[in-house]
Amino acid sequence: MKISRIITLLLIAIATIFCDNLKAQGLFVGTNYHPHDDKNIEKIKSDIQLMKSAGFNVVRMGHLAWDSYEPSEGQFDFAWFDHVMDMMNQAGIKVILDIAIHPAPIWLHNKFPSIDVVSATGNRLYPNHRYMDDAGDPNYQKYALRYTDVLTKRYAKHPALLAFGIDNESGDGPISYSETVRLRFIEWLHKKYGTLEGLNKAWATHRWSRRLNQFEEVGLPSEGQKNGAPEKILDFRTFVSSEVNNFLLAVLDKVNANAPGTLTNTNAWYYSPLKYIDWSEIAYSGKMAREGCGFYPGNSLTTNWGVMNAAFGISRIQFESTNPFWCSEFTTMTAVPNSIRKSAYATLMYGNQMVCGWTWQSMWGGEEQYLQGMLDWDGVPNRKYYEYKKIATEFKKIGKYFPYKSRPEVGMAFSFPSQMASSSFPEQHESQLQACWNLFYWRNMDANVVEISRSSLNYKLLFVPGVTVMDDKTATKIREFVKNGGTAIMTSNSALVDASGQVFKTTHPGQLSDVFGIRVGSFEETESMNEISRKAYNGKKLEFTYKGKAVDMQSARFDIIDPKGAEVIGSITSLDKDYPIMTSNKYGKGRAIYVGLPADGNVLNPLLDELIVELGIKKGLDVPLGVMARQIDKNHYLYLNVTGEPKEIPMKGKSRSILFDKDYNGNFTVEPYEPDFVEVR
């Protein structure tokens, strides 16, 4: 290679790194914009001027609009959009350009009916709703990748481009049960098991006379997860997830080939109940430059649960990525006054860099025509426009200190197969995961959601909340984590089944009974209830006693634990006898704690308070209950009062509010539902 060529490539690489570093600093505020709704150039000019006047520096465009750019096969129409991109650039507004591979155009459905979603009963479903596409269909993928290729080549070097958006809500949309899906599933099973003997053993087909004599006899499970052999259901859901993820990775590869150095982002609603895919495959691939999601906490200003649940959504998408997070959609809709602003500041504490409102214009037609935007239906800005303008104005004051980089010393395990396998349990895996995450939300502490088999587990404390499926790699990593000095807390419904979804024949918790020093036998139900009443009332009240202190909690079940060397440190004390329910076992240099109940704050809080001190885990800031807080860097602190009462913040010496441009001497007050960003002098 010529020296001049090498120098050129080095300069490009340096420029790419420099540009990426620039994009990693500061905060973005903007909106989701749909110019394809009305290609009226004067209206678009007016909209862009309003965005600029509000201080917006980003828009997201292109999503859900494939046929606006390719109205018929191979006939691309970009001229109108070129002009929009140019106007955005002239206004200094950066663009996230979504690659709208979902939903597929009607012309593509007509050309390849195999793309249609087919119900489990064999009915072909017309694509009335969005995401009515079989994402694993080869014909669909061929045309979606072609569209990706054309779009990214055209706009890769456009000066307005900030990032390419990779699909939208990839975990949403119904699963297809077509014949072509069945044939692909058979091929997937061939590769996984190799022989019929292996498949029959993994699926326990001797039960109910379901033995297979040839792969072609494989059928698809029924719709939903609770009806049929769990081993088969687990394989099918893993197959569906892998098809979606492999396709997304192919799209990312195409983007990175056509636009090297360009950022990528997505709205990753992977946990939609309709499909639910294993996003950890994407998050740990390193190919998505900016993880992202829609932030929809509901319309309340006074209720904290909505913000907390939506913030959990950030953590479960970010996993262990140290890149900034982008909320590429952010609520407008029915949000009450100041609730959007409150939510915006809350997300900053979870590494968010972008508040991109959904949506700009209240829709004129289609399924979303009653969803309110920043402009009313006649194009007049409403209260939400001015609330976003206020956010943009304030974020400019503090932007150079963000995005916040978390420093977690605690990990908590997510497991896609465990979520699938726990579908019939009173407490699914993700519910237990969130219960653990909530412990740190209230403490204003950083904690990472991790996928154990993909993680280096560089933590002091690891939660294993209802990780039902325990494969060899995950078990080995937990064992080594504890052996090398880590502390692990495992809750009930963990290590029940092996990687194929079959219950361990060995002592439970499977593969780890010696690490935890116990034998988990059967479970007891606290009250006999049918499923309807169980949902309405999650079990009988139980008294849990830890070190002489008793608290009430509820659970539909509890484990029968036989200590085999472990110390009993907590018991259920309200039934016919005391039942050991929390144990601690020394293993190697570390400690393995088992809790025979689903993750619950009433049970875990006293233990966690002790472990934070014992393990030297850095505590959250000392603030009143109801105040979210983070130390952003050495001298800067972010506070958010999420209650309706003023809160006094303890502070020694002099400080200054950068947000409100005023000085403090000692303690200061944060008003109800208000933020503050303070520099310590």
Side-chain angles (χ1 to χ4, degrees), residues 381-535:
N382 58 33
R383 184 267 307 168
K384 293 158 195 175
Y385 168 84
Y386 293 103
E387 188 164 333
Y388 270 93
K389 182 176 182 178
K390 185 174 184 178
I391 294 168
T393 301
E394 292 180 345
F395 275 17
K396 283 182 181 178
K397 294 181 180 180
I398 65 175
K400 68 180 181 179
Y401 304 103
F402 291 89
Y404 169 66
K405 291 188 178 296
S406 66
R407 296 168 285 273
E409 297 178 287
V410 178
M412 47 196 68
F414 164 82
S415 165
F416 170 79
S418 296
Q419 176 61 18
M420 299 301 107
S422 65
S423 64
S424 62
F425 296 169
E427 303 85 9
Q428 291 187 328
H429 163 61
E430 66 177 10
S431 298
Q432 293 209 51
L433 174 61
Q434 182 166 6
C436 292
W437 185 91
N438 291 351
L439 298 171
F440 297 92
Y441 172 87
W442 293 112
R443 287 172 169 80
N444 285 310
M445 293 173 64
D446 298 329
N448 273 351
V449 174
V450 308
E451 210 289 345
I452 290 176
S453 69
R454 305 175 194 271
S455 174
S456 62
L457 296 184
N458 186 26
Y459 302 100
K460 295 179 179 179
L461 178 62
L462 174 67
F463 282 85
V464 186
V467 177
T468 306
V469 178
M470 187 58 59
D471 60 87
D472 294 343
K473 187 174 182 179
T474 300
T476 298
K477 296 194 82 167
I478 294 172
R479 180 182 297 276
E480 292 301 311
F481 173 79
V482 177
K483 184 179 179 181
N484 293 329
T487 297
I489 301 175
M490 178 183 281
T491 62
S492 67
N493 297 336
S494 292
L496 283 180
V497 300
D498 62 20
S500 70
Q502 290 190 8
V503 175
F504 284 109
K505 298 176 182 177
T506 55
T507 302
H508 294 188
Q511 302 199 65
L512 293 168
S513 60
D514 61 321
V515 175
F516 287 86
I518 57 174
R519 172 187 174 271
V520 176
S522 58
F523 58 80
E524 294 286 0
E525 294 193 341
T526 56
E527 188 170 328
S528 178
M529 293 181 289
N530 62 35
E531 189 167 346
I532 294 176
S533 59
R534 188 186 300 282
K535 288 179 179 177

Side-chain angles (χ1 to χ4, degrees), residues 80-140:
W80 68 275
F81 192 69
D82 291 345
H83 194 30
V84 176
M85 291 287 287
D86 292 342
M87 288 191 291
M88 290 295 179
N89 183 55
Q90 291 166 9
I93 299 173
K94 291 296 184 182
V95 175
I96 301 174
L97 179 52
D98 258 35
I99 304 167
I101 48 180
H102 276 114
I106 293 297
W107 60 256
L108 190 59
H109 279 271
N110 289 336
K111 184 178 181 67
F112 299 109
S114 60
I115 296 174
D116 292 350
V117 170
V118 175
S119 72
T121 56
N123 294 322
R124 187 174 299 278
L125 305 178
Y126 186 81
N128 287 313
H129 191 56
R130 61 183 179 178
Y131 314 136
M132 297 292 289
D133 317 301
D134 174 10
D137 184 84
N139 294 310
Y140 162 76

Side-chain angles (χ1 to χ4, degrees), residues 231 291 453 606:
E231 302 94 334
E291 301 293 343
S453 69

Side-chain angles (χ1 to χ4, degrees), residues 181-286:
V181 170
R182 188 184 76 87
L183 294 175
R184 297 200 310 268
F185 184 41
I186 290 173
E187 182 180 355
W188 185 86
L189 293 170
H190 257 298
K191 292 178 181 178
K192 179 174 182 178
Y193 294 108
T195 65
L196 269 173
E197 180 182 1
L199 177 59
N200 277 313
K201 182 178 180 181
W203 282 10
T205 56
H206 58 280
R207 302 290 303 165
W208 291 7
S209 240
R210 291 296 179 263
R211 192 180 307 276
L212 299 166
N213 294 305
Q214 51 186 340
F215 274 96
E216 287 67 25
E217 293 176 348
V218 168
L220 300 180
S222 59
E223 214 154 352
Q225 291 176 238
K226 298 182 180 180
N227 185 14
E231 302 94 334
K232 180 179 181 179
I233 293 171
L234 179 58
D235 262 344
F236 181 65
R237 294 305 297 268
T238 303
F239 154 75
V240 170
S241 175
S242 66
E243 282 203 322
V244 175
N245 283 332
N246 288 340
F247 175 56
L248 291 177
L249 290 170
V251 173
L252 281 163
D253 287 342
K254 179 68 72 175
V255 174
N256 290 331
N258 289 346
T262 301
L263 296 180
T264 51
N265 169 247
T266 190
N267 176 16
W269 187 26
Y270 73 82
Y271 44 87
S272 163
L274 286 179
K275 192 172 291 176
Y276 204 127
I277 59 173
D278 184 2
W279 192 255
S280 69
E281 290 187 33
I282 305 296
Y284 282 93
S285 74

